[in-house]
Amino acid sequence: MADRMPGNDGGAHRSRTSPQARPSVNGGRRVRSAADVPPATQKPASRPSKPASSTPASKPGARPARRQAQAVPKSRTSRAASAPVQGASYNTPSLWTKNAAPGTSEKNLFQRILSVVGRVLLSLLAFVGHGIAWIGRAIVSLVSRSRAALVVTVLVAALAVGGLVDLGMNWGRAYAGVRIGEIDVSGKSAQDMRALVEQTYGPRLASGSATIYASDDAAAKVADELARAQDVATAEQQSVEQAQANKQLWTASADSLSATLPIDELVDEAMAVGREQGGLFGRVGALLTGQVVEVRAAYGDAPLESLASDIDATLGNPRVDFDIVVHGGVAEVSDGYDGNMVERDKLTRELDRALLDDAQGKGSFVARVEYAPLRIDHAAAQAVCDQVNSAIAPGARFTYAGSFWDASSTDLGEWVKTSVEKRDEGWSLIPSLDEERAKPVVLAHVQQGASNEELKVLFERKGDDVQVHTDTSHTIPLIAETMSTLNRVLFDASDGAPSEVPPRPSSASAVRPAEGQPVEVAVGSGPAPATTSFDEALSLGIISPISSYTTEYTKKAGTENRNHNIHLASDLLNNSIVKSDGIWSFNGTTGNCNAEKGFLGAGAIINGEYDDAIGGGICQVATTVFNAVYDSGFPVVERHNHSLHMSSYPDGRDAAVSWGELDFQWKNDSTSDVLVRLSYTDTSVTVVLYGINPGYRVKTEVGQWAEGAKYKTKVEYDESMAAGTSYVKTAGADGSSITVVRTVTSATGETLRQDVFDSNYSPLGEVVVAAPGVEVKPHNAAS
């Protein structure tokens, strides 16, 4: 009997058979042997049967066996796994089966889900198809019964097809009939439109200028050469107030108005036509009648308001809203009234036309003022007045490093300011603290109480930037953050209830324990950075403005060179640094203001008359610096008054400079550097001194004017002038003198110095230019 080998885990085994067990071939057909019959179909070994190979395949007895063999595969695997194979060899290799591949079940699950989703989608498509077929049959039925329905159906179909064609042809492009200003952008892409707008309007705005006339008469007057000559002659000698009253025109440019082209906005508006704007009807309207996106410029808020205010001061009566003023810690309502002013939106549109419509960018218009009603009435101002009084009356206690300072309502009241802001419900008067005014005062008190160690700063210029260095790493009070926190507590409470700004780690906090009690302010603190930028140092309260001063000048025909010189001198002085115990010199900082440095010939005072000189106008810059230094309390080393009185400046507080002769100098007697910063607009120049505020307080006494010598008249004859004409080239003024006394005290009230500034002004001779034969009545004539 053949050896038997148990299967591995019930698995089936292949057996090696002897040649006698191999199936025989009869007549080309394979003859099944006993080994070919599955074990389940064979008889037990104890009851041997006749070998299968001895039974001829052609005998009838083989048919049942063949049928039985054909039915075996259905159960062959399971039975083979449970029964050994007869005749198998002991060394017969096993037939191994593998487990299912990892992830097979997840894959099958995904396939089943995908199959379900596919069947759902097919069902939906079938449903939609049936719906479309039903609608189609309904339309056909309706059209067959009604001619009107046929027409409507055709129109709808045509519109649908047209819409699809239109969508494909104009995707990402402007619709036909759309223009940006004078540019036809039909069918243009956004990129093409941007290029066209920049190419067409960019050069106009960059090089253009707008002339704004005070009246129709003024527009005609500029062609009058005699009037132009008089304007040029008087431009240098008028005060700002006189010039304002006599002003006939203004000029504006893209540079002076900080104007730019909002190209992306214009392109977006062009693309919106026929889409977000108007839809199909907007598209049809653009095609039939055209649609123009008005080209415009974007202007800086500050320069635009400055221009508008300048026009208001000449042509109108500027509106004054009801407001509040604080005296002695008590707020009161200040009166307001309606006015006549330039409407800002209309001014903007006129500037757009003047700067952009003309191919050369040279346009003009006449300014018009109109009624300007109050924005803030008495009731609104009174409500803010009551709010401010309630907020500041109890005062505030500032604590820092174990010391404190009690600020009274008077102290807080000196820091209150207001602004008119546009809100959803209309115009509102908003109170707040002027942090720039408050920071140096608070800083002086908390530093005095906390330690004798004073923070020192050094400034360093890095190209156009300024860095701030500190000489110590001790903790500094964060005044800017503290004042911002106090501002929110005082004025952000909407219902008058006790207010609190939650403290943050190492930060400032402010709490009003109860209504009517002082605000408890914990001054924030932090480490002083060794080096920081100017802006960051200013924000942290490391440095602050010590003092500032602004003077104004006119911008009209005849002042171009003078204003150029003012700007150039300001650029040379800007960001100059004065070391501790150092002396600042105007001439030493600017150098010789001559033609080699770019200075131009302009009006200057020479031998008691206005004349043309290189660098005319720089004395106004020197005067502005002098007044900033005057208000700071720093010692003045050298100062000279002009030979002629200038009514644009405070009495006795002008400063004249001239290379090699007259200089203006002052000394920094504080323990830190002082940075001198200058900035300017088309009509003003500003000087600000930055650093650690020494806390000086300045008191001024202005004496009485004393009369001086009388002026004389000089006549100049010009043969080119028309017969019988004349004009005043220089207005005369008598001589005079005045004395100003400045007293400087420390933060504690100790008198530090008393400075006397004497000013003696010579008479200004009158100069009249006339045609030959014209008699001029002289004033103590000199020819």
Side-chain angles (χ1 to χ4, degrees):
M1 184 176 64
D3 294 334
R4 300 176 61 187
M5 169 104 178
N8 187 8
D9 296 332
H13 296 273
R14 282 187 294 184
S15 60
R16 294 181 180 178
T17 58
S18 61
Q20 292 82 3
R22 292 177 183 173
S24 61
V25 177
N26 184 11
R29 291 183 300 174
R30 183 173 181 270
V31 180
R32 295 175 61 88
S33 65
D36 293 325
V37 181
T41 64
Q42 297 180 17
K43 294 182 179 180
S46 59
R47 297 174 63 184
S49 63
K50 198 174 189 176
S53 57
S54 63
T55 305
S58 58
K59 290 183 178 181
R63 290 184 179 273
R66 180 169 299 196
R67 291 192 188 99
Q68 185 179 10
Q70 290 174 348
V72 166
K74 294 183 180 180
S75 58
R76 178 178 297 174
T77 301
S78 59
R79 294 185 179 181
S82 59
V85 179
Q86 288 185 351
S89 171
Y90 185 84
N91 293 325
T92 301
S94 300
L95 178 63
W96 297 92
T97 58
K98 297 183 179 180
N99 295 329
T104 301
S105 60
E106 290 82 353
K107 182 177 179 181
N108 292 338
L109 177 62
F110 174 75
Q111 290 175 342
R112 288 196 297 272
I113 294 174
L114 189 62
S115 176
V116 172
V117 172
R119 288 195 296 271
V120 171
L121 290 177
L122 289 174
S123 299
L124 289 175
L125 289 175
F127 178 78
V128 172
H130 288 306
I132 293 175
W134 181 85
I135 293 173
R137 289 193 297 271
I139 291 175
V140 170
S141 176
L142 181 62
V143 168
S144 63
R145 296 196 302 267
S146 171
R147 185 179 299 275
L150 174 62
V151 173
V152 171
T153 302
V154 171
L155 288 176
V156 170
L159 289 174
V161 173
L164 291 175
V165 173
D166 174 77
L167 180 64
M169 295 179 61
N170 295 287
W171 183 264
R173 299 177 181 276
Y175 282 108
V178 178
R179 307 177 67 88
I180 299 178
E182 64 188 48
I183 307 171
D184 184 359
V185 296
S186 301
K188 298 291 192 298
S189 67
Q191 183 177 357
D192 292 339
M193 286 188 280
R194 292 188 187 95
L196 287 171
V197 172
E198 176 61 36
Q199 178 183 347
T200 304
Y201 292 106
R204 297 186 191 182
L205 186 62
S207 61
S209 64
T211 302
I212 308 161
Y213 296 110
S215 63
D216 294 319
D217 291 340
K221 182 181 177 182
V222 294
D224 187 334
E225 292 300 325
L226 182 59
R228 185 184 293 273
Q230 177 128 12
D231 283 344
V232 172
T234 60
E236 297 295 343
Q237 47 189 301
Q238 290 179 333
S239 68
V240 172
E241 293 77 17
Q242 291 171 326
Q244 192 72 65
N246 298 326
K247 201 159 189 177
Q248 297 297 311
L249 61 86
W250 298 262
T251 57
S253 64
D255 184 58
S256 67
L257 295 173
S258 301
T260 58
L261 278 174
I263 297 178
D264 288 339
E265 293 181 13
L266 297 173
V267 171
D268 289 344
E269 292 174 19
M271 291 292 292
V273 175
R275 294 180 174 91
E276 297 89 347
Q277 181 183 337
L280 177 62
F281 296 103
R283 201 175 311 168
V284 174
L287 180 63
L288 298 178
T289 62
Q291 179 70 40
V292 179
V293 175
E294 295 293 341
V295 70
R296 63 184 182 276
Y299 303 98
D301 292 337
L304 182 64
E305 181 59 30
S306 176
L307 173 63
S309 298
D310 199 28
I311 297 173
D312 291 340
T314 299
L315 303 182
N317 180 28
R319 168 188 55 213
V320 175
D321 289 301
F322 280 90
D323 203 345
I324 65 169
V325 292
V326 183
H327 297 295
V330 178
E332 300 176 349
V333 175
S334 60
D335 290 337
Y337 48 82
D338 298 337
N340 292 285
M341 303 169 63
V342 174
E343 209 283 315
R344 271 45 175 176
D345 289 340
K346 291 183 179 179
L347 175 63
T348 300
R349 290 193 293 271
E350 291 287 359
L351 287 170
D352 288 339
R353 284 191 282 271
L355 293 171
L356 298 172
D357 284 1
D358 183 75
Q360 303 301 319
K362 308 292 183 183
S364 63
F365 60 93
V366 176
R368 311 287 183 186
V369 295
E370 56 188 66
Y371 174 65
L374 285 168
R375 297 173 299 178
I376 306 298
D377 59 17
H378 186 278
Q382 185 63 57
V384 173
C385 180
D386 296 340
Q387 178 190 3
V388 170
N389 282 329
S390 176
I392 69 175
R397 168 168 286 195
F398 293 83
T399 59
Y400 177 73
S403 63
F404 67 89
W405 170 57
D406 289 327
S408 66
S409 59
T410 301
D411 295 321
L412 298 180
E414 291 179 352
W415 308 335
V416 174
K417 66 176 182 178
T418 59
S419 60
V420 178
E421 299 181 9
K422 182 72 172 178
R423 298 292 175 90
D424 293 338
E425 66 275 9
W427 295 98
S428 298
L429 185 65
I430 308 299
S432 62
L433 292 180
D434 187 340
E435 295 183 10
E436 295 303 321
R437 296 178 61 185
K439 282 192 294 187
V441 179
V442 176
L443 185 64
H445 281 88
V446 300
Q447 284 183 333
Q448 181 181 8
S451 172
N452 292 327
E453 182 182 11
E454 183 179 1
L455 178 68
K456 298 178 179 62
V457 299
L458 303 174
F459 292 103
E460 181 184 9
R461 293 182 63 169
K462 292 283 190 179
D464 294 333
D465 298 325
V466 174
Q467 289 187 338
V468 181
H469 305 286
T470 59
D471 65 346
T472 179
S473 58
H474 71 275
T475 300
I476 61 171
L478 303 178
I479 301 299
E481 182 177 335
T482 300
M483 297 312 301
S484 178
T485 303
L486 176 59
N487 185 80
R488 293 196 299 270
V489 170
L490 290 177
F491 300 120
D492 283 1
S494 59
D495 56 2
S499 306
E500 177 179 351
V501 175
R504 299 192 303 270
S506 302
S507 182
S509 66
V511 179
R512 189 188 295 280
E515 187 175 358
Q517 293 188 7
V519 178
E520 297 177 358
V521 184
V523 178
S525 63
T531 300
T532 184
S533 67
F534 174 86
D535 291 337
E536 184 178 1
L538 191 63
S539 175
L540 290 173
I542 297 175
I543 60 173
S544 63
I546 300 172
S547 64
S548 65
Y549 203 83
T550 299
T551 61
E552 296 180 324
Y553 46 88
T554 60
K555 180 185 178 183
K556 57 186 294 186
T559 64
E560 295 86 355
N561 287 3
R562 182 177 188 275
N563 296 351
H564 165 83
N565 293 338
I566 290 174
H567 298 169
L568 182 54
S570 298
D571 290 336
L572 293 173
L573 297 174
N574 185 39
N575 286 337
S576 52
I577 299 170
V578 193
K579 296 295 182 180
S580 176
D581 290 327
I583 293 179
W584 184 92
S585 164
F586 185 96
N587 289 338
T589 305
T590 62
N592 191 356
C593 298
N594 53 24
E596 285 74 15
K597 283 194 173 180
F599 288 90
L600 305 175
I605 302 172
I606 302 175
N607 297 325
E609 295 182 10
Y610 282 99
D611 204 345
D612 193 63
I614 298 296
I618 63 173
C619 287
Q620 176 156 355
V621 182
T623 296
T624 311
V625 178
F626 166 60
N627 279 279
V629 172
Y630 182 100
D631 288 342
S632 72
F634 287 124
V636 174
V637 177
E638 179 182 353
R639 172 258 174 187
H640 305 274
N641 63 271
H642 289 86
S643 59
L644 303 176
H645 172 58
M646 306 291 292
S647 60
S648 295
Y649 309 136
D651 292 343
R653 288 171 56 176
D654 59 318
V657 291
S658 177
W659 179 255
E661 300 178 23
L662 309 175
D663 196 7
F664 169 66
Q665 299 182 6
W666 61 279
K667 181 180 180 180
N668 171 19
D669 64 347
S670 71
T671 58
S672 292
D673 290 358
V674 173
L675 180 71
V676 182
R677 280 208 155 178
L678 283 84
S679 60
Y680 50 81
T681 68
D682 284 344
T683 57
S684 68
V685 58
T686 298
V687 175
V688 184
L689 306 183
Y690 288 98
I692 301 294
N693 196 329
Y696 297 148
R697 298 181 179 179
V698 174
K699 181 180 178 181
T700 299
E701 296 179 17
V702 181
Q704 299 294 320
W705 281 101
E707 293 183 358
K710 303 295 182 181
Y711 77 86
K712 297 181 180 181
T713 301
K714 177 181 178 180
V715 181
E716 296 178 352
Y717 292 100
D718 186 351
E719 295 182 356
S720 65
M721 292 179 60
T725 60
S726 66
Y727 67 91
V728 178
K729 179 180 179 181
T730 303
D734 294 335
S736 57
S737 63
I738 194 171
T739 298
V740 175
V741 178
R742 180 186 73 162
T743 303
V744 180
T745 60
S746 67
T748 59
E750 178 187 358
T751 299
L752 301 177
R753 67 184 67 90
Q754 192 172 68
D755 305 311
V756 178
F757 300 99
D758 292 320
S759 299
N760 297 289
Y761 302 103
S762 304
L764 174 62
E766 180 185 51
V767 178
V768 178
V769 180
V774 174
E775 292 188 8
V776 178
K777 184 178 180 179
H779 182 86
N780 298 322
S783 58

